[in-house]
Amino acid sequence: MSANYKAITATAQVHIGQGRLMGMFCSAAASVPTIAIYDTPDADTGDAKIIDTFTPVAGTNYPLPAGGVTFSKGLYAVIANTVTMSFFYEG
C-alpha cells in the first residue's frame, strides 16, 4: 500500500478515520515551533496523543519505527508558531 501525504502550516485535521502514521518531514521551522499529534477526528485535544509535544527542526525527517503508529479516530496536529510539516500516512 502506498502512503498518503498532507502538508500543513497551522493546526489542522490531517485525516479522519483509522490509519497508520508512517512519518513526518519538517521543511520549515522558525520562532521555536512546537507540534503535538492526536488520535481524534476533530479538535478534541482531550483524546489520546499519538506523539507528545516536541520542537521540530527544519530539514528533518521523522520516520516512525516498526512500520508506523496506528490511530483509530483520526490524525490531528496542533502547531504553535511557524512550521511546515508533511505527514505520511496510510488510511
Side-chain angles (χ1 to χ4, degrees), residues 8-9 25-35 54-62 79-86:
I8 63 172
T9 58
F25 178 74
C26 179
S27 57
S31 304
V32 190
T34 60
I35 189 166
F54 73 101
T55 301
V57 176
T60 303
N61 188 35
Y62 295 95
I79 291 176
N81 296 324
T82 304
V83 65
T84 300
M85 185 72 78
S86 294

Side-chain angles (χ1 to χ4, degrees), residues 26-67:
C26 179
S27 57
S31 304
V32 190
T34 60
I35 189 166
I37 315 300
Y38 292 85
D39 183 357
T40 184
D42 51 37
D44 184 1
T45 56
D47 283 340
K49 275 188 184 177
I50 297 172
I51 299 174
D52 205 353
T53 305
F54 73 101
T55 301
V57 176
T60 303
N61 188 35
Y62 295 95
L64 297 178

